[in-house]
Amino acid sequence: MCVKLDKLKELNVPFNYQATAENLFSTTQWSSIPVDIEKILARLEIPYGEKDFSNSEKALKNNNISMSIQGMVHIDKEYIKIFYNPKFKNENASKQKIRFTLAHELAHSILNGDEIDKEGGFLDLYRTDEIIDQTTDIGKMEYEANILAGEILMPTNVFITFYKLLSHDGCSIEDIKESLSRLFDVSKTVVQAKIEYLNLKND
């Protein structure tokens, strides 16, 4: 396993995404909201950039798999790089989509070190917007990467604090999602997923 990947793997606290994210923040000396995922990657010395996935998407389509690829992490021996799909740059909320994609791929690098090691230090992990089948190994990896990405961009303690403040102020659930979306610089869809994951209610 490459040295950089080994260090990322050390951040992982199995089955504790909150502690894993806290380890990441401690390592990168990050403590403010919204989380600047690009600065975190820079502090980890992990390069990132655009990649044209059109050929990959066509190849999948030729095999009767319709998939829109958002991004990927590419790891090969001593090399780690994260890519995102530039075709979303001009779409509404594209900045938020790219932010989540970068966090998702970083999450893979932290969580899936063992799987990467089994593959001889080479693994491409893709993020898509398709529904995740958690009964498969890949589906489980994608789900866990989504959870950790959400924890990185929306730390649970801060999220719950602001959710309760807004709820107690009498805000509607839509107003709460809008406010949290602006606070954490993520989409309302991502906020909704976090609310459901934490099983929060607007009392």
Side-chain angles (χ1 to χ4, degrees):
M1 183 179 291
C2 75
V3 174
K4 187 173 293 186
L5 187 62
D6 211 16
K7 288 182 178 179
L8 290 174
K9 182 182 172 183
E10 290 175 1
L11 302 177
N12 185 25
V13 180
F15 311 111
N16 191 330
Y17 305 105
Q18 190 171 350
T20 300
E22 288 170 356
N23 284 342
L24 174 65
F25 296 142
S26 176
T27 297
T28 56
Q29 298 183 317
W30 189 266
S31 60
S32 61
I33 299 295
V35 173
D36 191 329
I37 188 63
E38 293 167 326
K39 285 186 179 179
I40 284 180
L41 289 173
R43 292 177 184 182
L44 292 171
E45 298 182 330
I46 297 177
Y48 61 92
E50 301 176 354
K51 182 177 176 64
D52 185 356
F53 291 101
S54 56
N55 288 335
S56 298
E57 290 174 340
K58 287 177 183 176
L60 289 169
K61 191 172 183 180
N62 289 338
N63 287 287
N64 298 317
I65 301 173
S66 181
M67 182 181 291
S68 178
I69 299 173
Q70 314 297 313
M72 79 173 199
V73 56
H74 176 80
I75 301 172
D76 189 355
K77 297 180 180 177
E78 296 302 310
Y79 178 83
I80 300 176
K81 187 167 184 179
I82 290 174
F83 298 97
Y84 62 85
N85 196 331
K87 76 178 183 180
F88 298 103
K89 284 180 69 176
N90 296 321
E91 291 190 2
N92 186 37
S94 61
K95 177 186 174 185
Q96 295 173 343
K97 182 183 285 288
I98 290 171
R99 275 170 45 75
F100 191 85
T101 296
L102 294 177
H104 175 96
E105 301 304 341
L106 174 58
H108 271 309
S109 302
I110 295 170
L111 295 172
N112 303 128
D114 289 337
E115 288 79 3
I116 292 166
D117 200 28
K118 289 175 186 176
E119 296 293 327
F122 172 84
L123 191 65
D124 285 333
L125 294 167
Y126 294 89
R127 174 181 178 247
T128 74
D129 276 342
E130 276 65 40
I131 294 174
I132 297 173
D133 181 359
Q134 297 178 46
T135 63
T136 66
D137 288 341
I138 292 177
K140 183 180 178 183
M141 288 167 61
E142 291 300 311
Y143 175 76
E144 290 179 343
N146 275 346
I147 298 301
L148 181 53
E151 189 63 45
I152 292 169
L153 296 178
M154 301 171 291
T156 291
N157 288 341
V158 181
F159 189 92
I160 291 176
T161 296
F162 278 95
Y163 181 93
K164 288 182 175 179
L165 283 173
L166 292 165
S167 180
H168 292 161
D169 282 345
C171 295
S172 69
I173 188 62
E174 286 305 315
D175 286 341
I176 290 174
K177 287 191 286 187
E178 179 66 35
S179 295
L180 294 175
S181 172
R182 290 197 304 268
L183 176 66
F184 294 102
D185 196 12
V186 297
S187 70
K188 286 192 285 186
T189 300
V190 168
V191 169
Q192 176 63 35
K194 182 81 171 183
I195 290 172
E196 291 175 359
Y197 174 71
L198 295 174
N199 197 27
L200 297 175
K201 304 194 184 306
N202 190 17
D203 297 325

